[in-house]
Amino acid sequence: MKKPAILLMLLFLSPLLSRAQAPATDSIRERPEMVREEKIFVVVEQMPEFPGGQVALFKYIKENLVYPEKMQSEGISGTVVLTFVVNEDGSITQIRPIKFLHPELDREAIRVVESMPAWECGKQRGRPVKVRMNLPFKFELDQQ
């Protein structure tokens, strides 16, 4: 029986606490510019796209990704997965690996993403938004 009493007390106090914390001069209704969210989406109505589409993206990676000879000679192969944010202007930020392979190969994948041209931005409700993307990079040894 004590739990309902605590719940009722919280319900009674919550309106009082919320009024005490928000000064009338800086209310959200009076200053909407202060409420702007810097939300990063994962899925949007129109996803960001590399200039020229996926085929151009794969071509860009193939032409720019360098598989270090040292890693090849040591037999290190596998996949690095990077996550990054495509901003409203198409620029790429917040690049970091989410699946590691080897520090040298991780850096190489990051280098390629950093060198990419601006993407076509993602859009939600017709407005440009920030979108988090994931991109795998395969480092495969030649099969002879």
Side-chain angles (χ1 to χ4, degrees):
M1 284 293 208
K2 290 184 181 184
K3 288 183 183 180
I6 292 172
L7 181 61
L8 287 174
M9 183 173 284
L10 288 175
L11 289 173
F12 176 74
L13 289 176
S14 64
L16 297 174
L17 294 173
S18 64
R19 272 190 244 134
Q21 293 172 349
T25 57
D26 271 346
S27 74
I28 292 173
R29 291 185 194 121
E30 292 176 30
R31 310 238 356 233
E33 69 275 5
M34 293 180 67
V35 180
R36 184 163 186 249
E37 278 188 39
E38 290 297 321
K39 189 175 213 175
I40 298 174
F41 292 85
V42 177
V43 177
V44 290
E45 294 165 350
Q46 183 181 334
M47 291 298 287
E49 188 172 54
F50 185 83
Q54 278 194 342
V55 172
L57 172 62
F58 295 140
K59 181 180 177 188
Y60 183 87
I61 292 171
K62 184 178 180 181
E63 291 174 355
N64 291 279
L65 188 67
V66 177
Y67 195 163
E69 298 231 359
K70 180 182 175 191
M71 300 292 102
Q72 292 182 49
S73 65
E74 291 178 12
I76 299 172
S77 64
T79 304
V80 173
V81 179
L82 298 183
T83 186
F84 55 91
V85 173
V86 178
N87 294 312
E88 297 96 332
D89 63 357
S91 62
I92 298 172
T93 58
Q94 300 181 30
I95 305 164
R96 62 181 168 80
I98 55 174
K99 181 178 183 241
F100 301 85
L101 180 57
H102 183 280
E104 200 168 324
L105 298 174
D106 300 342
R107 279 192 300 274
E108 177 58 17
I110 290 169
R111 184 195 64 78
V112 171
V113 172
E114 288 175 336
S115 72
M116 287 181 177
W119 288 42
E120 294 174 30
C121 67
K123 293 184 179 177
Q124 183 70 14
R125 296 185 181 133
R127 301 176 78 187
V129 293
K130 293 180 179 185
V131 181
R132 180 163 303 282
M133 305 286 292
N134 295 332
L135 187 60
F137 290 81
K138 286 192 174 190
F139 292 91
E140 295 178 329
L141 296 170
D142 291 332
Q143 301 295 326
Q144 294 179 350

